[in-house]
């Protein structure tokens, strides 16, 4: 078998998955027996069994007693959501009226939470993180009163730099500034690059938290489309940058929230060249990059940048510990300004959490944990898509992400996503209405659902209720 990155069972699974995707293996086709596959690809029988079971958990294969493994039947096909084709150079102010209501719903504990883009598998680490915390405090009992000045705990910065190097972004640990999550990282970067009234380029749709941050900083936005399949529209970006004074761009490296799209590497290179030509620095939000479903992590912009103009923002919030609020902002060019901004904004990041995360990353078990999280998320996305196809009205489109934790749904034109959000909330179901993901108020008939939770009976029932509400818009 040709050498590929990843574990041996993942290589076998990838081979089978590519045959299914190409149509070489069709629904209900029987796969070669484990012994035949073992001989054909030159791996052990146990490796093939592990690969087949991995694909079965993801819903691509099914087992038939005494018959072997077969390609699983596919759910009814749903169209992809449409993408905005308009491209405007006119800056806009940001003030979605419903965001406060959406944020209030995120704090509720009585909802079937399909509104929050977080991963439930991360909860598996509670025991390990608690154990590490006790160990750190036994070794360093005075740590609660130890203060670590920016840029932050040096061993943690080393671990982050090592991980970035694994996917091609070579950085010095001294260029890593530890922050309170990704949002503070984005805020620091925007504060360094922009002044009130400046214009920032963003995707449409994009994470509503980014739009709210831009409003808070009194910045304007100009939008370029993000296609649910192809990612950032490079032609639109070139058009907009040619006729606008833009202080910075904020783009999501991989698995846009909410479309789930990953922009291809060649498009990322073209984007970097366009921005460099116009002297526009890029702030990349790479929070979802580790949550890819395939074997290889998508490259962040920083791995393709040779000018030093990219500022990378990320955190462990989606994959390890939501409540630790450990993030980072990385920039060889703007390190001094970012350190100063960090001190002036929040002084420092909590010391204990920095030590615990440094220990966790240093023990080398993070990749094993990530494989489990990715596998569960891929399964969740498949199960959610099947449930949506069965429950929602004809004409519904749903994204097909290859990573991340969300699904982007386009509803029939007569369905108002905001009214659906309100009706769902009255039934204790949390969703996110599409219009909050754009400064222009587009995506009225869109919603975002989280696939970070498993499709339990309660979740499946909630999707059925949403489908009924969407079928009978009022």
């Amino acid at each position: 078998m040709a050498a590929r990155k990843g574990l041996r069972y993942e290589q076998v699974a990838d081979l089978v998955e590519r045959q299914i995707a190409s149509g070489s293996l069709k629904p209900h086709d029987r796969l070669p027996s484990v012994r035949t596959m073992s001989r054909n690809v030159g791996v052990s029988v146990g490796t093939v069994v592990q690969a087949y079971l991995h694909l079965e958990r993801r819903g691509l294969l099914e087992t038939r007693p005494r018959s072997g493994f077969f390609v699983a039947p596919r759910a009814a096909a749903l169209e992809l959501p449409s993408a905005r084709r308009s491209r405007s150079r006119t800056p806009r102010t940001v003030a979605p009226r419903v965001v406060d209501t959406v944020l209030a719903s995120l704090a509720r504990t009585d909802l079937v939470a399909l509104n929050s883009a977080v991963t439930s598998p991360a909860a598996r680490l509670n025991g390990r993180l608690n154990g590490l915390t006790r160990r750190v405090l036994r070794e360093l009992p005075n740590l609660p009163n130890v203060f670590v000045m920016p840029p932050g705990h040096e061993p943690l910065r080393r671990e982050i730099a090592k991980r970035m190097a694994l996917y091609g972004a070579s950085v010095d640990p001294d260029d890593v500034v530890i922050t309170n999550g990704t949002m503070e990282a984005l805020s620091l970067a925007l504060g360094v690059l922009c002044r009130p009234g400046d214009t920032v380029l963003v995707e449409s749709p994009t994470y509503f938290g980014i739009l709210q941050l831009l409003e808070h900083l009194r910045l304007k936005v100009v939008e370029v489309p993000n296609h649910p399949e192809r990612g950032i529209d490079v032609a639109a970006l070139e058009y907009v940058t040619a006729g606008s004074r833009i202080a910075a761009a904020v783009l999501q490296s991989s698995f846009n929230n909410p479309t789930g799209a990953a922009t291809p590497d060649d498009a990322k290179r073209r984007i970097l060249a366009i921005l460099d030509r116009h002297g526009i620095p890029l702030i990349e939000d790479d929070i979802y990059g580790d949550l890819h479903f395939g074997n290889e992590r998508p490259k962040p912009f920083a791995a393709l940048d040779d000018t030093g103009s990219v500022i990378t923002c990320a955190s462990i919030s989606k994959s390890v510990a939501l409540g630790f609020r450990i993030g980072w902002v990385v920039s060889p060019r703007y390190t001094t300004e970012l350190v100063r901004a960090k001190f002036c904004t929040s002084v420092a990041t909590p010391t204990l959490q920095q030590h615990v995360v440094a220990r966790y990353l240093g023990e080398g078990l993070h990749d094993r944990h990530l494989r489990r999280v990715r596998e569960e998320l891929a399964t969740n996305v498949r199960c959610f898509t099947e449930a949506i196809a069965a429950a929602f009205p004809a004409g519904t489109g749903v994204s097909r992400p290859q990573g991340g934790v969300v699904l982007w749904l386009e509803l029939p034109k007569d369905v108002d996503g905001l009214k659906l959000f309100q009706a769902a909330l009255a039934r204790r179901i949390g969703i996110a209405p599409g219009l909050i993901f754009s400064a222009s108020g587009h995506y009225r008939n869109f919603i975002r659902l989280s696939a970070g939770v498993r499709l339990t009976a309660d979740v499946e029932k909630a999707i059925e209720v949403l489908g009924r509400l969407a079928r009978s818009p009022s």
Side-chain angles (χ1 to χ4, degrees):
M1 183 171 61
R4 287 176 60 85
K5 292 181 180 179
L7 300 178
R8 296 291 279 173
Y9 86 88
E10 291 178 326
Q11 297 170 16
V12 177
D14 184 57
L15 174 65
V16 175
E17 185 171 356
R18 283 185 282 120
Q19 290 178 312
I20 293 172
S22 69
S24 300
L25 285 172
K26 295 180 170 54
H28 306 291
D29 280 356
R30 186 179 187 274
L31 266 70
S33 70
V34 292
R35 293 190 181 279
T36 300
M37 180 65 85
S38 170
R39 290 194 300 269
N40 288 346
V41 299
V43 299
S44 69
V45 167
T47 297
V48 176
V49 170
Q50 191 176 8
Y52 282 5
L53 291 175
H54 170 74
L55 292 171
E56 183 182 28
R57 287 191 294 271
R58 289 186 53 196
L60 297 175
L61 301 183
E62 62 182 14
T63 308
R64 298 180 188 173
R66 296 184 295 277
S67 297
F69 289 88
F70 292 77
V71 179
R74 295 174 185 167
L78 292 171
E79 295 294 324
L80 280 167
S82 60
R84 298 291 306 179
R85 294 186 178 180
S86 62
R87 49 188 184 179
S88 172
R89 292 171 173 157
T90 304
R92 301 174 184 271
T93 55
V94 181
R97 291 172 295 176
V98 300
V99 169
D100 288 344
T101 305
V102 174
L103 292 176
S105 74
L106 291 173
R108 288 179 56 173
T109 58
D110 62 332
L111 303 180
V112 179
L114 305 181
N115 53 343
S116 182
V118 298
T119 52
S120 61
R124 297 174 183 166
L125 283 176
N126 286 348
R128 180 165 192 79
L129 293 174
N130 290 342
L132 282 172
T133 301
R134 288 190 291 270
R135 192 198 315 169
V136 168
L137 287 173
R138 280 197 301 270
E139 296 174 10
L140 302 167
N142 295 325
L143 202 57
N145 283 301
V146 173
F147 184 79
V148 179
M149 287 285 293
H153 186 45
E154 197 267 342
L156 176 56
R157 292 186 285 112
R158 276 204 316 269
E159 293 297 332
I160 292 167
K162 285 194 292 186
R163 292 204 64 81
M164 291 186 68
L166 291 176
Y167 43 82
S170 179
V171 300
D172 191 303
D174 289 340
D175 297 329
V176 179
V177 180
I178 306 302
T179 64
N180 296 317
T182 308
M183 283 296 287
E184 187 184 46
L186 293 167
S187 179
L188 296 179
L190 285 165
V192 165
L193 298 176
C194 305
R195 296 295 177 266
D198 282 349
T199 297
V200 176
L201 183 146
V202 300
E203 300 159 71
S204 177
T206 193
Y207 173 48
F208 66 85
I210 291 175
L211 297 176
Q212 289 301 290
L213 175 60
L214 294 172
E215 180 191 17
H216 174 70
L217 296 174
R218 301 178 183 177
L219 300 171
K220 297 179 181 180
V221 302
V222 62
E223 298 179 322
V224 295
N226 180 289
H227 190 279
E229 189 173 29
R230 298 188 298 273
I232 300 166
D233 186 327
V234 181
L237 183 140
E238 186 160 26
Y239 171 83
V240 168
T241 54
S244 306
R245 288 179 59 85
I246 296 173
V250 178
L251 303 176
Q252 295 172 313
S253 300
S254 299
F255 315 126
N256 164 283
N257 177 2
T259 70
T263 304
D265 286 353
D266 61 339
K268 287 178 180 175
R269 291 188 180 94
R270 290 167 59 199
I271 289 168
L272 286 170
I274 294 167
L275 296 178
D276 182 59
R277 188 163 65 246
H278 294 285
I280 302 171
L282 171 58
I283 303 169
E284 68 168 326
D285 177 358
D286 193 33
I287 193 170
Y288 294 107
D290 281 340
L291 301 181
H292 54 94
F293 302 159
N295 283 344
E296 295 186 19
R297 189 195 197 281
K299 287 186 179 298
F301 282 104
L304 305 171
D305 173 43
D306 56 7
T307 67
S309 61
V310 173
I311 301 178
T312 298
C313 303
S315 75
I316 61 161
S317 296
K318 304 299 182 182
S319 59
V320 180
L322 179 65
F324 270 35
R325 309 308 303 150
I326 295 292
W328 52 90
V329 55
V330 184
S331 170
R333 180 179 295 183
Y334 299 103
T335 306
T336 300
E337 293 91 337
L338 289 167
V339 168
R340 186 183 303 120
K342 168 63 182 176
F343 179 80
C344 294
T345 301
S346 59
V347 183
T349 299
T351 304
L352 175 59
Q353 285 91 321
Q354 291 191 62
H355 276 258
V356 172
V357 175
R359 293 281 185 96
Y360 165 76
L361 293 176
E363 291 187 355
L365 299 177
H366 186 47
D367 287 316
R368 183 185 302 175
H369 165 69
L370 284 177
R371 282 194 291 272
R372 291 196 300 267
V373 173
R374 293 170 192 146
E375 184 175 297
E376 182 159 327
L377 287 173
T379 299
N380 291 353
V381 165
R382 175 187 59 81
C383 293
F384 269 68
T385 302
E386 292 175 353
I388 291 164
F392 276 70
T396 297
V398 63
S399 58
R400 291 191 280 273
Q402 295 304 306
V405 300
V406 294
L407 288 168
W408 183 235
L409 278 66
E410 180 178 15
L411 306 171
K413 294 295 184 184
D414 61 341
V415 181
D416 187 313
L418 178 56
K419 290 182 179 178
L420 181 59
F421 160 75
Q422 293 166 337
L425 206 58
R427 291 159 177 81
R428 295 188 177 180
I429 302 170
I431 64 174
L435 62 84
I436 67 172
F437 296 92
S438 169
S440 57
H442 294 313
Y443 312 109
R444 192 90 193 179
N445 62 315
F446 286 71
I447 61 172
R448 189 199 70 183
L449 298 182
S450 169
V453 296
R454 292 181 179 179
L455 191 72
T456 62
D458 286 344
V459 171
E460 189 166 16
K461 180 65 175 177
I463 291 176
E464 291 174 0
V465 171
L466 290 173
R468 285 200 302 272
L469 293 171
R471 288 176 186 275
S472 304
S474 57

